[in-house]
């Protein structure tokens, strides 16, 4: 980003935005098209929103691409989404790399196809020196699943004698979460008019601000993203304290 663009970065905006990208299916159905058509449009929208981040001062963007519950969808939709993730990595890798985006994946990789996991590892590796925007893609991710896996790893460390029960506090548990290198989200956005969290970043969002917008994800423009980020700047975050 050019130095003068950096100067125009809005003040008081969110540093870390997490997005539940909902509404792809309805977007496609309203056009008489299959659900995967909506997911493809949704993937194109991801690119626009990532590109908008530097000018908005958003350094961390975390997006919910596939939940631990999404396996319950039809085989056609699940395999179509997995193919879309592979295509996304192939098509976007070069642009992400040159735009200074560092990509990470969170979620349990155990159930994902080996080839996809290898591609995810490779994208994480080749972008690991980037620092302009940190894009985290939640894939086979569930908040409860993440906390459960963290607790299991913590229990193992205790079993091995490297920690004791006295070490167990919120800070120690956080170190075992998939997100351990990321700050907590400041703002969580959900598109499509649904006002629920759906198991996304449960631990990390304890003090996040939430914004539920009616727009379906494929229609969520960088302009609307900028408006939502700007409205965050007017919120009064207290983290449980009273105003001085
Ligand atoms: C929820 O909308 C969306 C998903 C489960 C998939 C999200 C995936 C993408 C936006 C595409 C690609 C992402 C990347 C990172 C390449 P829904 O299908 O549940 O919508 P509905 O509620 O209208 O049915």
């Amino acid at each position: 980003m050019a130095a003068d663009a950096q100067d125009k970065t809005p003040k008081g905006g969110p540093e870390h935005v997490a997005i539940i990208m909902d509404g792809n299916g309805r977007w496609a159905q309203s056009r008489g098209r299959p659900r995967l058509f909506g997911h493809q449009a949704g993937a194109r929208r991801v690119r626009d929103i990532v590109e908008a981040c530097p000018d908005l001062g958003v350094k961390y963007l975390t997006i919910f691409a596939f939940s631990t519950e999404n396996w319950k969808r039809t085989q056609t939709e699940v395999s179509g989404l997995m193919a879309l993730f592979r295509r996304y990595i192939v098509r976007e890798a070069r642009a992400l790399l040159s735009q200074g985006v560092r990509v990470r994946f969170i979620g349990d990789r155990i159930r994902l196809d080996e080839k996809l996991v290898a591609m995810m590892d490779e994208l994480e590796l080749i972008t690991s020196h980037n620092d302009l925007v940190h894009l985290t893609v939640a894939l086979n991710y569930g908040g409860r699943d993440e906390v459960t896996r963290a607790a299991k790893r913590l229990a193992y460390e205790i079993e091995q004698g490297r920690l004791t029960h006295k070490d167990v506090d919120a800070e120690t548990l956080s170190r075992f979460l998939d997100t351990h290198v990321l700050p907590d989200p400041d703002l969580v956005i959900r598109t499509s008019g649904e006002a629920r969290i759906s198991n996304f970043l449960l631990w990390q969002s304890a003090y996040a601000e939430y914004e539920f917008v009616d727009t379906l994800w494929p229609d969520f423009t960088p302009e609307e993203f900028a408006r939502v980020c700007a409205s965050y700047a007017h919120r009064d975050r207290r983290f449980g304290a009273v105003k001085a």
Side-chain angles (χ1 to χ4, degrees), residues 20-27 29 35 38-44 46 63-67 70 73 77 81 84-85 88-89 105 135 137 190 192 194 196 216-217:
I20 303 174
M21 309 179 288
D22 197 11
N24 296 344
R26 276 164 283 168
W27 186 89
Q29 277 158 358
R35 295 177 59 80
H39 294 314
Q40 284 156 6
R44 288 193 294 277
V46 169
I63 55 174
F64 206 1
F66 193 89
S67 77
N70 285 153
R73 296 188 176 203
E77 185 168 354
L81 274 167
L84 181 61
F85 299 141
Y88 175 81
I89 293 175
F105 293 91
L135 171 66
V137 182
R190 183 177 189 138
S192 93
E194 311 289 349
R196 54 177 177 265
L216 303 176
W217 173 252

Side-chain angles (χ1 to χ4, degrees), residues 106-228:
I106 56 170
D108 194 351
R109 297 179 186 207
I110 203 87
R111 215 175 148 179
L112 299 174
D113 170 75
E114 260 178 46
K115 187 171 169 225
L116 174 60
V117 173
M119 294 168 79
M120 289 157 58
D121 287 341
E122 171 78 5
L123 186 60
E124 284 188 335
L125 186 70
I126 64 168
T127 62
S128 62
H129 299 294
N130 282 344
D131 185 43
L132 185 62
V133 175
H134 292 245
L135 171 66
T136 303
V137 182
L139 233 177
N140 192 28
Y141 175 87
R144 287 185 176 178
D145 177 68
E146 180 193 29
V147 174
T148 307
R149 285 186 286 107
K152 205 174 269 184
R153 290 203 287 267
L154 187 51
Y156 182 73
E157 291 301 303
I158 293 172
E159 209 172 86
Q160 296 297 307
R162 289 189 283 265
L163 292 173
T164 79
H165 75 277
K166 290 184 184 147
D167 297 312
V168 180
D169 57 17
E171 204 278 317
T172 311
L173 187 80
S174 296
R175 284 200 268 123
F176 290 86
L177 294 173
D178 298 349
T179 53
H180 61 100
V181 292
L182 304 175
D184 285 345
D186 300 302
L187 173 66
V188 180
I189 302 171
R190 183 177 189 138
T191 57
S192 93
E194 311 289 349
R196 54 177 177 265
I197 296 314
S198 300
N199 206 6
F200 189 43
L201 301 177
L202 295 181
W203 174 282
Q204 298 85 343
S205 301
Y207 288 100
E209 298 290 326
Y210 288 93
E211 191 76 47
F212 299 101
V213 299
D214 288 338
T215 313
L216 303 176
W217 173 252
D219 291 330
F220 188 70
T221 58
E223 290 72 27
E224 186 167 9
F225 183 43
R227 278 198 298 277
V228 175

Side-chain angles (χ1 to χ4, degrees), residues 19-55:
I19 307 185
I20 303 174
M21 309 179 288
D22 197 11
N24 296 344
R26 276 164 283 168
W27 186 89
Q29 277 158 358
S30 71
R31 287 162 175 76
R33 303 297 299 267
R35 295 177 59 80
L36 276 168
F37 182 71
H39 294 314
Q40 284 156 6
R44 288 193 294 277
R45 200 44 100 184
V46 169
R47 172 187 263 236
D48 301 333
I49 297 302
V50 172
E51 283 177 4
C53 285
D55 285 347

